[in-house]
Amino acid sequence: MIKTKPSELLEEFGFDVDTKVKEYESWWFEEGYKISYMVDRLGTPHLRMFDRFGNRIDEILYPKEYWDMLYKGYEYGIVADVFEKNSIMPFFIMGYITSFFDPGLYCPYTVSLSTAVPISKYAPKEVRDKYLPPMLKKNREVWQGATWMTEVKGGSDLGNTVETIAEFKNGKWILNGEKYFASNVGAELAVVAARIKGKPKGVRSLALFLLPKYKENGEINYFVRRLKDKIGTRSVPTGEVELKDSEAYLLGSEDVGIYLILEVLNISRVANSVGSVALMHRAIYEAYEFASKRFAFGKYVIDHPLMKRQILDNYEKLKKAFALAFESAKLLDKVYLEKPTYSHDYHMFRLLAHLSKFWTAELAVQTSKWAMEVNGGMGVLAEYPVERLLREAMILPIWEGTPHRQVLDAVEVMVKKDAHLFLYEYLREYDGLSEDILNIGKEIKEMENDKREEMADIYINDLADIVAEILLKKMGS
């Protein structure tokens, strides 16, 4: 039977969906959905750069209802509960509900958590005590976070494209540079990748910094040049940011910066997977609803054998994608507090996260396209919900590392860390298919470098499909 509510699928897979989560879901069905629709139709928000006296303020202008929608998640503890319960799983459960209705809105919550976690792990005590508590409030005074790595030359090859420079002067770290895709711009805090002054280009020269919105003297600490006019995810403002003698705090130490940056990205990649699966679920729901009420050729569309089979096929893919995404979340829950150097479990998580991010995002695109086809002409009209799903889905493969980056990083962690061996041991008791994990890993490791890269997406797609199949049986057990 098709589960038409996100909470129902969560419960089918054995997750504890408490009263609070169901209240949050009900709010979305009753109120949030309408607000989200309005925000999307309004398009890119406006940027007010100056107040009427000429002072730089860089205020993001959304309607009041947007802020009602945004703060609802914080009020229900989507970030705070991670620290109260010492588990990251409540975040992904709430995120699944959120993304069923608005994948873009899950981004502010995700980058806020991806800011709070490194503060809690790596900030000096006085910095942590000052900046973490405001991020854990459950009201409209909550501070938001952001993760700004990408610059104008791209985000995949950070070692060569990050030109923001960090210099320690007069007892403070000072940043100068630009960030080209700055999601959740306007946030009170951001974690920022920067290269230490005097060091050569390369990932070993990068460090991670905490950037407050305001300097200690109250002046604005970063400047928003403009907001991006995106195809979708309009419920998160994305802009270009200028750093001009911006004050920041070093997180961790200079020599482990790239590892901290990847820790931040790993949280976002799992969230991207969860959001992709939730969007798949919504697309199937919209197709199911339409087919159940559309009458053609003597019966409802859903009663035609071809449509019935397609809906069931896509629902089975949804369950496999759900198993893959949430197993990534469970493994992250086990390792997210680790620091360099990492355990075998951490490297196994990395492999699973790459598989999940790559596979679920593409499935979200294809499922949304299919849902549009089911809805026919109504599927391409902006006044109905389905065309938006495809626009939102097209962003998911790009966020937090493109498909090329995911497959190549998955290959790297197999070749350098033997992560496929750990994954095999983890899954071998659940299905005979686990032997295929070893075979794919062996073939990848034996290839020459160029051939390995040429075939990477084919092997990683097959591996993701196999692992998802096994995990579906594991969760069922």
Side-chain angles (χ1 to χ4, degrees), residues 420 423-439 463 466 470:
H420 59 292
L423 187 59
Y424 165 74
E425 291 296 333
Y426 183 66
L427 297 177
R428 63 186 301 184
E429 67 181 276
Y430 297 105
D431 196 290
L433 285 172
S434 57
E435 292 290 335
D436 291 338
I437 298 174
L438 290 181
N439 294 334
L463 182 59
I466 291 165
I470 298 171

Side-chain angles (χ1 to χ4, degrees), residues 62-108:
Y62 275 112
K64 172 189 175 297
E65 290 80 3
Y66 169 80
W67 302 107
D68 295 339
M69 178 177 69
L70 174 72
Y71 285 126
K72 185 65 68 172
Y74 292 115
E75 291 166 356
Y76 273 87
I78 192 167
V79 173
D81 281 359
V82 171
F83 294 85
E84 291 182 9
K85 299 179 180 180
N86 295 314
S87 171
I88 207 166
M89 292 308 296
F91 171 77
F92 292 121
I93 290 172
M94 290 278 287
Y96 191 78
I97 304 292
T98 304
S99 298
F100 182 87
F101 298 97
D102 193 330
L105 194 70
Y106 193 26
C107 181

